[in-house]
């Protein structure tokens, strides 16, 4: 059994539950980063054996930026640096609710149209989205902040607010109607 540290980095509140049934109020979180706040880390530790473990994260957004990331490290396993768990590792599971969520957009591409303007385009793989949200980060690891939104069936967006000529940016596009309760199997 090894000791692991998990962190959430969120704006606003988040909680992470590992190998605990989530019942809403009264469930003790492994990581408690709850409350109204800007982007901040909170940590918790847990001993885990090899195998599959249930992870549930909850998140809410009151206003301002929207951000939720989960990190891990385990010095006892030789992993000393905080490591981001990528979005692709998470599967949405909402018991009792039929999953009819928009398919994720793909093929995000950016073209510079001026020294401080980027035109983003993507493939719309869904027919039931309410729109798209574009997120921008100054590094691949993030954090990512909202850059703008579009209506449904729109597949391009021009980002020109606050861009600095010669600086690299990373983008994500998503259908915004997603629940922020999910779990992953390790």
């Amino acid at each position: 059994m090894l000791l692991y540290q998990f962190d959430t980095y969120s704006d606003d509140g988040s909680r992470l539950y590992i190998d605990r049934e989530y019942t809403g109020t009264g469930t003790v979180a492994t990581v408690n980063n709850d409350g109204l706040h800007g982007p901040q880390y909170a940590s918790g530790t847990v001993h885990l054996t090899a195998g599959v473990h249930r992870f549930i994260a909850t998140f809410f957004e009151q206003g301002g930026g929207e951000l939720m990331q989960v990190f891990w490290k385990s010095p006892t396993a030789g992993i000393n640096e905080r490591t981001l768990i990528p979005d692709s590792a998470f599967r949405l599971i909402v018991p009792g609710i039929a999953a009819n969520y928009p398919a994720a957009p793909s093929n995000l591409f950016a073209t510079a149209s001026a020294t401080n303007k980027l035109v983003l385009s993507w493939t719309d793989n869904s027919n039931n989205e309410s729109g798209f949200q574009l997120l921008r980060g100054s590094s691949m690891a993030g954090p990512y902040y909202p850059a703008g939104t579009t209506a449904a069936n729109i597949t391009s967006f021009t980002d020109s607010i606050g861009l600095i000529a010669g600086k690299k940016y990373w983008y994500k596009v998503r259908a915004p109607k997603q629940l922020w309760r999910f779990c992953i199997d390790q």
Side-chain angles (χ1 to χ4, degrees):
M1 188 176 295
L2 297 176
L3 182 66
Y4 288 84
Q5 175 180 313
F6 290 90
D7 303 317
T8 64
Y9 184 65
S10 65
D11 175 3
D12 286 291
S14 64
R15 291 183 183 186
L16 180 66
Y17 304 86
I18 301 174
D19 287 342
R20 296 179 182 169
E21 287 300 316
Y22 175 74
T23 59
T25 60
T27 305
V28 177
T30 305
V31 179
N32 186 345
N33 196 2
D34 206 6
L36 296 174
H37 53 76
Q40 72 179 25
Y41 287 98
S43 300
T45 58
V46 63
H47 285 92
L48 297 174
T49 59
V52 176
H53 297 274
R54 182 177 171 93
F55 291 65
I56 297 173
T58 60
F59 166 77
F60 77 92
E61 172 57 34
Q62 173 68 28
E66 177 183 299
L67 174 67
M68 169 59 172
Q69 295 176 313
V70 181
F71 296 81
W72 74 280
K73 70 178 180 179
S74 177
T76 56
I79 309 297
N80 296 310
E81 298 295 321
R82 180 183 286 149
T83 304
L84 176 67
I85 299 174
D87 292 345
S88 62
F90 296 96
R91 289 185 296 127
L92 182 64
I93 297 173
V94 182
I97 298 176
N100 189 22
Y101 301 102
S106 61
N107 302 319
L108 179 61
F109 189 77
T111 305
S113 63
T115 58
N116 62 348
K117 187 182 288 188
L118 292 170
V119 177
L120 305 167
S121 61
W122 58 91
T123 301
D124 179 355
N125 296 315
S126 181
N127 62 3
N128 65 341
E129 80 275 354
S130 61
F132 293 98
Q133 182 179 44
L134 286 298
L135 304 169
R136 177 177 67 197
S138 57
S139 76
M140 186 183 300
Y144 286 82
Y145 298 99
T149 59
T150 73
N153 303 315
I154 303 297
T155 58
S156 67
F157 175 81
T158 300
D159 187 13
S160 61
I161 298 176
L163 296 180
I164 300 170
K167 184 173 179 176
K168 281 187 176 183
Y169 295 97
W170 282 260
Y171 288 88
K172 294 181 181 185
V173 60
R174 68 178 182 195
K177 281 194 168 180
Q178 297 181 22
L179 297 178
W180 288 96
R181 191 172 106 179
F182 49 87
C183 77
I184 60 171
D185 295 332
Q186 166 177 308

